[in-house]
Amino acid sequence: MNSNQPTPKQGLYDPQFERDACGVGFIAHMKGEKSHQIVEQALTILVNLDHRGACGCETNTGDGAGILIQIPHNFFLKVAAEAGFKLPEVGKYGVGMTYTSPDPQKHAQGRQIFERVVAESGQRVLGWRDVPTDNSSIGNTAKSSEPFVQQVFIEKKADLADDLAFERQLLMLRKQSHNAIRATGIDEYWYFSSLSCRTMVYKGMLMTSQVGQYFPDLQDPDLQSALALVHSRFSTNTFPSWERAHPYRYIAHNGEINTLRGNINWMQARQSLFQSDLFGEDIKKIQPVVNVDGSDSLIFDNALELLVLSGRSLPQAMMMMVPEPWTAHESMSEEKKAFYQYHSCLMEPWDGPASIAFTDGTTIGAVLDRNGLRPSRYYVTKDDLVIMASEAGVLPIEPERVAVKGRLQPGRMFLIDTNAGRIVTDEEIKRDIATQYPYRQWVDEHLVKLEQLQDAPIPSSSTPEELIQRQMAFGYTFEELRLLLTPMAKDGVEAVGSMGSDTPLAVLSDRPKLLYDYFQQLFAQVTNPPIDSIREEIVTSALTTIGSEGNLLAPKPESCHLIELKTPILSNAELAKLQHINEGGFKSVTLPILFNPKDGVKGLEAAMEGIFTQADRAIADGISIVILSDR
């Protein structure tokens, strides 16, 4: 099997637990002046991030490295003429960086299918170019899965309104060709590292020093850009591959998305509601939106791409996905706090620790998640260069040239707009975005807080005998009552100890275990200090919402018509409120989840199918809250 394919689940390895931990950097000319020097300097930054990447047992096979640049129009005019076709003016065509099978028959078949997909969309392939590569420096492991690299040039239809309309068309072509070629097994290598009218990506299963040598294009003086984003990959708990190298289409990422499983589940659940005036009926062609076979970084990139192409600005999409800590932030403006509160009803945070650099080819920037555990530093020079990387010193700059030095701060955004020719401050970005709509009014009118709901009868409390019986049924031990619960009840704080835990995982235990013992929170698995949610409440929040979500792509004032809970753990009184709710359009139903254990596995399966049927029927009848009860 080639390592360009997702490694299947085997033994104790499961690809769903893969994470990235890497080095990231960018350089941009603030005024948008293109030059080959930007590309050269970016490659220098990349080489100096080598220690943040990794290699396999061969010192010349890397976990991955790459560079994202703007479309180099003058360079492409030259190489297109050499390949025998002519390009229109800049912005009137898109370029795809395509990885295909080394087998000539397979990649020829893939090309034919892709051209057919393009023609069916009403667009035209202008030509193909075989990208020159030099694999003399790469190791045998990288060579064993090395793809054949091509560039495809696609003409923009005259009736497309702007770049974003063309980008939406190119996204659909990428998704449709993947389904027609890769997913059907015609070409198991088929992959677009980029397909855009704005940016392109050169990347691979390379060491940082190999990128410039492997792609001779990057040495050509005509290959020019005003910005460049680079990445050196350290694939924590993962297998490297050519396509898992960064940058992706919008981002390069250092860290982990530790809420990933929930993020994926929610994106898959809500996509059935997707409707967009910008995509129209074509919205179905880009589903599934997230590629679950990809890394956490790719899945983040998929979601970000959807938000941007469905009408949000890149900074706003980043604010939604990587929000500041706002719930306990006393000095935050009401407008900004309302923005985050409203959007928390539309999408859950994609929490790190993470440092994420992002670009759409015009703006480029970076953001740290709320914890700030992946520091990054930047320099601004007097001749309008901006250099940002995982650490200082990645590009030699004479001290007298430096105008400003700084570092990314938790939750704050660093953004360069090359059209405006300046750095846009975090305050300006977020003030403009937060005041676009009356979010505070929308939240006050539509968001319902649990404590505002009408009180309901509470089930009678347990007798001492019933309490002991339930404690035994729920697996409480004498040690837990004495060492954990008693201090919490007595002092209102969590007990502190230093002995660790030798309790075996539920799946490995010989003792009977409850259902929720089999579930663990996957958070901060690699090189991260523990977070204390009580003492560090400024960066943590237990707020959650329940109710029926709306369309993520076309939010309305009533999109936040949900019930807000201060904590996902409910008291009996709070649960009773939800069980008896019948106001504001909210309705609930309680479904029993009991089954006869004597019926064994088949009895459990039948009971679960019964619950699914009851839940479907309840939702069809307008129920917005389903309560599962084992009472």
Side-chain angles (χ1 to χ4, degrees):
M1 177 175 180
N2 76 74
S3 58
N4 205 38
Q5 292 289 299
T7 305
K9 183 177 178 181
Q10 51 190 292
L12 294 178
Y13 169 76
D14 191 327
Q16 69 173 303
F17 300 127
E18 294 201 336
R19 298 290 187 272
D20 289 332
C22 327
V24 62
F26 68 72
I27 181 169
H29 193 286
M30 207 186 309
K31 307 297 184 186
E33 292 181 12
K34 294 185 177 183
S35 69
H36 183 63
Q37 187 181 23
I38 291 286
V39 178
E40 291 177 330
Q41 291 173 317
L43 292 175
T44 300
I45 292 172
L46 183 58
V47 169
N48 287 330
L49 288 171
D50 182 66
H51 62 287
R52 285 189 171 266
C55 63
C57 56
E58 301 167 334
T59 55
N60 56 351
T61 292
D63 276 6
I67 180 172
L68 178 152
I69 58 173
Q70 294 172 321
I71 296 290
H73 180 61
N74 291 335
F75 172 76
F76 280 144
L77 286 177
K78 178 177 70 175
V79 297
E82 293 171 357
F85 59 93
K86 186 177 180 181
L87 291 179
E89 62 186 83
V90 65
K92 300 295 185 183
Y93 64 95
V95 183
M97 194 75 165
T98 322
Y99 292 1
T100 64
S101 171
D103 183 335
Q105 186 175 352
K106 286 187 175 182
H107 71 239
Q109 192 176 0
R111 277 171 59 150
Q112 290 175 352
I113 294 173
F114 181 74
E115 288 183 358
R116 188 185 70 220
V117 170
V118 173
E120 289 171 353
S121 73
Q123 294 171 119
R124 184 167 70 96
V125 171
L126 295 166
W128 294 82
R129 172 183 178 246
D130 294 348
V131 177
T133 57
D134 176 3
N135 67 4
S136 60
S137 68
I138 70 175
N140 291 329
T141 304
K143 285 179 182 177
S144 68
S145 58
E146 182 184 8
F148 179 63
V149 186
Q150 302 174 96
Q151 286 165 344
V152 59
F153 297 79
I154 301 166
E155 187 174 32
K156 178 182 177 182
K157 287 196 296 186
D159 60 348
L160 293 177
D162 53 24
D163 282 358
L164 282 176
F166 192 23
E167 291 286 293
R168 283 188 283 274
Q169 291 290 313
L170 295 174
L171 168 62
M172 286 184 283
L173 293 179
R174 198 180 81 221
K175 292 280 190 176
Q176 287 177 290
S177 65
H178 182 278
N179 293 335
I181 301 169
R182 172 85 168 258
T184 58
I186 290 171
D187 182 351
E188 67 275 15
Y189 282 78
W190 186 270
Y191 171 74
F192 279 107
S193 64
S194 59
L195 179 57
S196 172
C197 64
R198 296 174 166 186
T199 60
M200 63 180 307
V201 175
Y202 289 86
K203 69 176 186 178
M205 195 168 156
L206 306 167
M207 303 292 292
T208 59
S209 59
Q210 294 170 341
V211 175
Q213 180 179 346
Y214 185 81
F215 294 108
D217 283 3
L218 297 173
Q219 307 300 328
D220 194 305
D222 290 326
L223 189 128
Q224 300 178 345
S225 178
L227 57 84
L229 174 60
V230 296
H231 188 273
S232 172
R233 186 166 187 252
F234 190 114
S235 50
T236 315
N237 303 335
T238 69
F239 290 103
S241 73
W242 284 79
E243 66 181 63
R244 283 187 182 140
H246 299 218
Y248 287 105
R249 288 113 193 174
Y250 281 81
I251 70 152
H253 168 218
N254 170 27
E256 306 168 76
I257 303 298
N258 279 305
T259 54
L260 185 66
R261 176 48 48 193
N263 298 133
I264 292 173
N265 289 344
W266 276 115
M267 286 300 293
Q268 290 178 322
R270 62 170 64 101
Q271 70 182 11
S272 62
L273 300 173
F274 285 170
Q275 291 181 330
S276 168
D277 292 338
L278 294 172
F279 279 100
E281 291 300 314
D282 291 334
I283 192 67
K284 301 296 182 188
K285 296 178 182 177
I286 67 170
Q287 295 181 15
V289 169
V290 298
N291 177 5
V292 295
D293 292 329
S295 67
D296 53 342
S297 308
L298 172 61
I299 292 167
F300 184 100
D301 188 80
N302 291 157
L304 180 66
E305 179 179 46
L306 174 72
L307 293 178
V308 171
L309 295 185
S310 61
R312 292 176 173 90
S313 69
L314 183 56
Q316 181 179 353
M318 289 300 300
M319 285 175 69
M320 286 179 62
M321 295 183 69
V322 190
E324 289 179 79
W326 57 272
T327 52
H329 201 309
E330 295 178 356
S331 61
M332 182 180 287
S333 70
E334 270 304 304
E335 292 86 0
K336 202 196 310 186
K337 193 172 285 190
F339 170 90
Y340 286 124
Q341 189 174 12
Y342 172 81
H343 284 90
S344 70
C345 299
L346 302 181
M347 174 179 275
E348 64 292 333
W350 295 61
D351 266 333
S355 171
I356 302 174
F358 55 88
T359 183
D360 58 8
T362 301
T363 58
I364 188 167
V367 66
L368 286 185
D369 73 314
R370 66 182 80 187
N371 297 304
L373 299 177
R374 287 292 183 274
S376 298
R377 296 188 174 274
Y378 63 84
Y379 284 14
V380 182
T381 69
K382 295 173 183 176
D383 51 352
D384 295 323
L385 289 184
V386 183
I387 301 114
M388 194 288 302
S390 302
E391 60 216 64
V394 291
L395 187 68
I397 298 290
E398 299 83 359
E400 58 271 17
R401 285 180 59 198
V402 176
V404 178
K405 289 182 183 180
R407 64 177 179 85
L408 297 190
Q409 299 177 41
R412 295 172 72 83
M413 193 177 298
F414 179 63
L415 187 74
I416 300 100
D417 185 339
T418 60
N419 277 345
R422 65 189 182 96
I423 295 173
V424 189
T425 65
D426 178 82
E427 291 79 7
E428 181 183 348
I429 299 164
K430 293 176 178 175
R431 182 183 64 247
D432 291 347
I433 291 171
T435 55
Q436 281 180 342
Y437 297 102
Y439 292 115
R440 174 52 60 202
Q441 179 185 335
W442 294 357
V443 167
D444 290 345
E445 289 178 357
H446 298 287
L447 186 65
V448 178
K449 296 189 177 181
L450 181 61
E451 57 266 29
Q452 297 171 343
L453 295 178
Q454 188 174 351
D455 290 333
I458 305 173
S460 57
S461 57
S462 305
T463 64
E465 292 77 14
E466 289 174 331
L467 177 61
I468 292 175
Q469 185 183 46
R470 288 181 180 175
Q471 286 175 341
M472 293 173 66
F474 279 77
Y476 283 88
T477 65
F478 175 71
E479 286 80 7
E480 286 172 326
L481 292 175
R482 183 171 65 90
L483 299 176
L484 298 179
L485 292 181
T486 299
M488 291 171 72
K490 182 180 175 183
D491 303 320
V493 297
E494 188 176 9
V496 177
S498 60
M499 292 298 289
S501 174
D502 60 357
T503 307
L505 295 174
V507 72
L508 300 177
S509 175
D510 293 331
R511 294 177 178 272
K513 292 290 182 177
L514 297 167
L515 178 65
Y516 46 73
D517 285 338
Y518 289 87
F519 297 86
Q520 299 287 331
Q521 172 67 43
L522 300 177
F523 197 85
Q525 298 176 81
V526 182
T527 65
N528 304 311
I531 301 291
D532 185 322
S533 61
I534 297 173
R535 294 168 183 84
E536 299 181 69
E537 63 177 352
I538 185 66
V539 295
T540 59
S541 172
L543 274 183
T544 188
T545 54
I546 57 174
S548 301
E549 282 194 13
N551 177 16
L552 174 67
L553 306 187
K556 301 175 181 177
E558 56 272 20
S559 294
C560 61
H561 187 52
L562 300 170
I563 299 172
E564 183 181 87
L565 314 180
K566 288 184 178 178
T567 166
I569 300 173
L570 300 174
S571 66
N572 286 334
E574 291 169 332
L575 180 59
K577 285 184 177 184
L578 295 176
Q579 285 183 304
H580 294 87
I581 191 172
N582 192 12
E583 56 186 280
F586 294 108
K587 293 181 181 179
S588 73
V589 65
T590 302
L591 302 180
I593 58 171
L594 302 177
F595 76 102
N596 190 338
K598 293 179 181 178
D599 296 336
V601 173
K602 293 198 176 297
L604 174 59
E605 290 176 346
M608 290 180 70
E609 288 297 330
I611 294 169
F612 300 155
T613 302
Q614 292 178 68
D616 286 341
R617 190 181 303 126
I619 293 167
D621 291 340
I623 295 294
S624 53
I625 299 172
V626 176
I627 300 169
L628 304 179
S629 174
D630 63 353
R631 287 178 177 170

